[in-house]
Amino acid sequence: MTMLKNPSAKYRPFGQIDLPDRQWPSRLIEKAPRWLSTDLRDGNQSIIDPMDGVKKARFFDLLVDIGVKEIEIGFPSAGATEFTFIKHLVESGTIPDDVIVQVLTQSREDLIRTSFESLEGARAAIMHLYNAVSPAWRDIVFRMSKDEVREIAMHGAKVMRDEAAKRPDTDWHFQYSPETFSTAELDFSISVCEAVMQVLAPTPEKPIILNLPATVEAATPNIYADQIEYFCRNLPNRESAVISLHTHNDRGTGVAAAELGLMAGADRVEGCLFGNGERTGNCCLVTMALNLYTQGVDPGLDFSDIDRVIETVEYCNDLPVHQRHPYGGELVYTAFSGSHQDAIKKGFEANEKQNDEIWRVPYLPIDPADLGRDYEAVIRVNSQSGKGGFAWVLEKNHGLKLPKAMQKDFSKHVQRLADEKSRELNAEDIWAAFKEAYHVQTPDKHFQLIDYEEARAADGTRVFSGKIAVEGREQSVSGRGKGLISSVMGTLRETFGVELEVVDYAEHALGAGTEANAATYLECTDRQGRTIWGCGIDEDVATASVRAVLSAANSAVQ
């Protein structure tokens, strides 16, 4: 099979919308929409290994922290994991009063009832009902008429209305999606939504949410905008409906379609952080929010620490945020060309001298500092590649905060392991690789510390004396230096012929409190000028330093 020389024999252009007096092209987006994150539902069902309850809870906390007020937390009828997480989240009391959760259900009576059961006792919730309405689904999947498809939606709405009435203590909100809206006849979608509204009787004070999905992006974003404007113009009782957008990225224009849809009259946007979602993904909430920000509109979402957001998303989804992803990617503010770097630096210099706060720096559409980055950091991002997922996993699971240069060194080990296993690496894989790479807490290392003492000599130097096992055999050793580390280095040089020089040193506590262990990192060079890293972990920071020296020595002899 090859690409067709005449693709029109197989594919047809998407039809235009008859809207000669369209208004959206001349409009501006002057305020942020209502945001709905569907990371825990649409995003979750799109990853290789769906999140467990712990990861979903961590993701939920992140969404709350950045200011998302409407969160689709799952698909209760999909399975026990989903149902249990939703039930626990509701019963735990961790949902803030200003956040409303949402669950999704097909328009089937048993699934709707299960969905209500999962939200039992919630302060407030959105029940999101959907059924597909497009010709392809009616004719191929369902083999139903328009009337039969409309009846599915109406029956689901009646069940939803009645189940909500049984639970008056919850502030219920209703959402309906004519699924596959973007490839359905507009007038039919309107008639289905109108029928649902007649069942649920929304008011301007308690509107229904009508979500209009581009389930599969099939046309240019201007056509989606035409569809939204047409729908908004022709929907009866429009003032009692919140028009919501749910775009996908099959054509690579999910964000553009959502932006033009807002210009066309929509009120709300559904999407995922960094665009995760089925196939090519959903509308990226980060991109769309920061697009608004760069136009002087407060998006209502806080990405002041975008790296923390990326780390959490990467960890929970087990998917990387691409280095070129708008706003968040590691390389998006990096200038490789010398002329580009020069222009950016001159822009910064001019920015410091100007009399207003307007951002005018070449090649940078946004000030990286607004997102928790600074220019000096991001221009070194090439040398820091590898600081992503695996480093964060080590920090979150073991408290290790690897120096940037060590992250780069370790990335080679991670890549080699990934190639060997031909699969994604989990936290245990990464920890095992780290211990093996730097001889940390492994019994089969060449040099192993048994015991030691440190003393100060009359001439002010430090004396290291102790026992080191070499290939399992204990040996008494000693050496001198200006400090503890140099005295251990001297011992290795004089006793074993291992010659290392310290280039850099870092340490930190593993946790908080007096009982916390310490981690020490050493960057060294050997006689050949090779860079060798060592890491030591111990309840005593001095002993951690000794272990770091032996870690580097083990790598040197290896």
Side-chain angles (χ1 to χ4, degrees):
M1 295 293 292
T2 60
M3 290 183 66
L4 302 176
K5 297 298 183 182
N6 178 25
S8 64
K10 188 173 184 179
Y11 303 101
R12 292 291 184 268
F14 199 91
Q16 299 291 309
I17 308 302
D18 185 15
L19 198 67
D21 61 339
R22 58 182 59 82
Q23 300 299 305
W24 64 262
S26 60
R27 294 175 182 160
L28 295 176
I29 304 174
E30 299 180 323
K31 66 175 183 177
R34 287 170 53 175
W35 302 107
L36 181 283
S37 163
T38 186
D39 287 277
L40 301 181
R41 199 277 303 170
D42 201 334
N44 187 48
Q45 72 186 37
S46 309
I47 55 180
I48 299 169
D49 298 312
M51 288 179 271
D52 57 19
V54 174
K55 286 186 175 180
K56 290 192 78 171
R58 183 176 292 179
F59 211 129
F60 180 84
D61 290 342
L62 172 70
L63 293 169
V64 171
D65 288 346
I66 65 176
V68 181
K69 301 302 181 185
E70 299 177 46
I71 303 173
E72 192 165 60
I73 55 176
F75 201 149
S77 59
T81 300
E82 288 284 278
F83 186 94
T84 301
F85 169 75
I86 295 167
K87 190 76 172 171
H88 172 74
L89 189 65
V90 170
E91 294 176 348
S92 66
T94 57
I95 302 172
D97 290 342
D98 63 345
V99 171
I100 187 167
V101 295
Q102 173 175 305
V103 300
L104 179 71
T105 177
Q106 292 170 303
S107 189
R108 277 178 40 190
E109 187 167 340
D110 57 330
L111 304 185
I112 296 171
R113 296 186 192 282
T114 297
S115 300
F116 273 96
E117 290 170 6
S118 73
L119 292 171
E120 196 81 51
R123 176 193 56 80
I126 302 170
M127 186 60 65
H128 180 187
L129 180 77
Y130 79 96
N131 67 298
V133 300
S134 68
W137 281 77
R138 296 195 312 261
D139 300 339
I140 299 172
V141 181
F142 299 143
R143 298 182 181 180
M144 289 183 174
S145 68
K146 287 183 176 180
D147 289 341
E148 290 172 315
V149 169
R150 186 187 297 106
E151 178 57 34
I152 290 175
M154 292 176 64
H155 180 69
K158 291 174 183 177
V159 176
M160 190 163 64
R161 175 197 62 196
D162 295 343
E163 288 297 314
K166 296 175 185 178
R167 301 165 175 85
D169 292 337
T170 297
D171 180 17
W172 293 106
H173 300 258
F174 300 130
Q175 175 169 327
Y176 173 68
S177 290
E179 183 72 356
T180 64
F181 163 83
S182 60
T183 52
E185 308 92 333
L186 279 168
D187 290 331
F188 179 59
S189 294
I190 290 172
S191 74
V192 174
C193 290
E194 181 183 7
V196 169
M197 291 175 73
Q198 289 173 350
V199 172
L200 297 174
T203 65
E205 294 73 31
K206 194 70 175 288
I208 187 174
I209 301 170
L210 295 178
N211 187 53
L212 308 179
T215 306
V216 176
E217 189 176 40
T220 50
N222 62 295
I223 289 181
Y224 184 67
D226 281 349
Q227 292 174 322
I228 301 303
E229 183 168 336
Y230 185 99
F231 186 95
C232 291
R233 284 193 197 182
N234 293 281
L235 177 72
N237 199 16
R238 167 67 177 91
E239 66 277 6
S240 296
V242 171
I243 304 303
S244 182
L245 309 175
H246 184 113
T247 59
H248 279 261
N249 205 41
D250 301 272
R251 292 172 56 91
T253 56
V255 169
E259 289 179 326
L260 299 191
L262 283 185
M263 293 162 60
D267 311 293
R268 183 176 183 260
V269 171
E270 295 191 357
C272 294
L273 299 183
F274 299 105
N276 184 40
E278 295 158 324
R279 303 179 308 282
T280 55
N282 289 27
C283 172
C284 173
L285 296 187
V286 176
T287 301
M288 189 161 178
L290 292 176
N291 282 353
L292 290 178
Y293 183 81
T294 62
Q295 301 302 301
V297 177
D298 178 6
L301 301 179
D302 186 1
F303 296 109
S304 298
D305 187 357
I306 200 167
D307 286 334
R308 182 178 73 91
V309 177
I310 291 170
E311 288 168 350
T312 301
V313 171
E314 288 186 330
Y315 177 72
C316 292
N317 285 342
D318 278 336
L319 288 173
V321 172
H322 195 277
Q323 291 177 327
R324 298 294 183 190
H325 194 98
Y327 300 109
E330 284 189 305
L331 300 179
V332 297
Y333 308 114
T334 302
F336 294 101
S337 163
S339 61
H340 288 199
Q341 291 187 359
D342 181 64
I344 292 172
K345 290 177 181 178
K346 288 177 179 176
F348 271 102
E349 293 169 359
N351 199 59
E352 293 175 357
K353 298 174 183 177
Q354 67 189 40
N355 296 322
D356 57 47
E357 296 181 5
I358 300 300
W359 180 251
R360 290 186 289 262
V361 176
Y363 296 110
L364 293 178
I366 192 172
D367 185 352
D370 290 355
L371 306 180
R373 294 181 180 174
D374 62 78
Y375 183 62
E376 291 305 318
V378 297
I379 63 172
R380 296 196 301 266
V381 81
N382 276 344
S383 65
Q384 296 172 3
S385 57
K387 72 170 187 176
F390 70 81
W392 193 74
V393 168
L394 286 175
E395 179 176 353
K396 294 302 176 183
N397 288 277
H398 303 282
L400 297 178
K401 301 176 182 178
L402 305 190
K404 299 300 182 185
M406 190 177 189
Q407 291 178 23
K408 182 179 179 181
D409 183 80
F410 182 48
S411 68
K412 296 178 291 186
H413 298 274
V414 174
Q415 186 61 55
R416 184 162 54 247
L417 180 64
D419 291 340
E420 292 173 357
K421 290 187 173 291
S422 298
R423 64 166 174 80
E424 291 182 299
L425 303 181
N426 56 37
E428 290 75 17
D429 294 327
I430 293 170
W431 177 231
F434 182 83
K435 292 192 294 183
E436 179 180 355
Y438 303 108
H439 314 282
V440 175
Q441 299 178 357
T442 53
D444 56 347
K445 48 195 172 185
H446 185 81
F447 297 117
Q448 188 164 358
L449 180 66
I450 304 300
D451 194 10
Y452 81 96
E453 292 182 352
E454 179 192 13
R456 185 181 296 275
D459 60 0
T461 58
R462 298 293 182 91
V463 178
F464 171 86
S465 60
K467 292 183 179 180
I468 293 177
V470 183
E471 297 291 348
R473 298 178 61 184
E474 290 188 16
Q475 184 171 336
S476 296
V477 295
S478 65
R480 289 174 179 259
K482 293 181 179 179
L484 175 59
I485 291 177
S486 61
S487 66
V488 181
M489 293 284 195
T491 299
L492 292 172
R493 182 174 56 253
E494 295 165 10
T495 307
F496 304 109
V498 178
E499 190 164 337
L500 296 172
E501 294 292 334
V502 176
V503 175
D504 201 4
Y505 168 91
E507 67 179 42
H508 65 81
L510 295 176
T514 57
E515 301 299 319
N517 283 354
T520 298
Y521 311 98
L522 282 181
E523 181 181 4
C524 305
T525 56
D526 64 6
R527 291 175 179 174
Q528 289 75 40
R530 296 177 301 177
T531 297
I532 296 175
W533 280 90
C535 176
I537 299 174
D538 198 87
E539 60 187 12
D540 173 65
V541 66
T543 304
S545 299
V546 176
R547 295 190 187 281
V549 176
L550 294 180
S551 166
N554 280 316
S555 294
V557 298
Q558 187 180 53

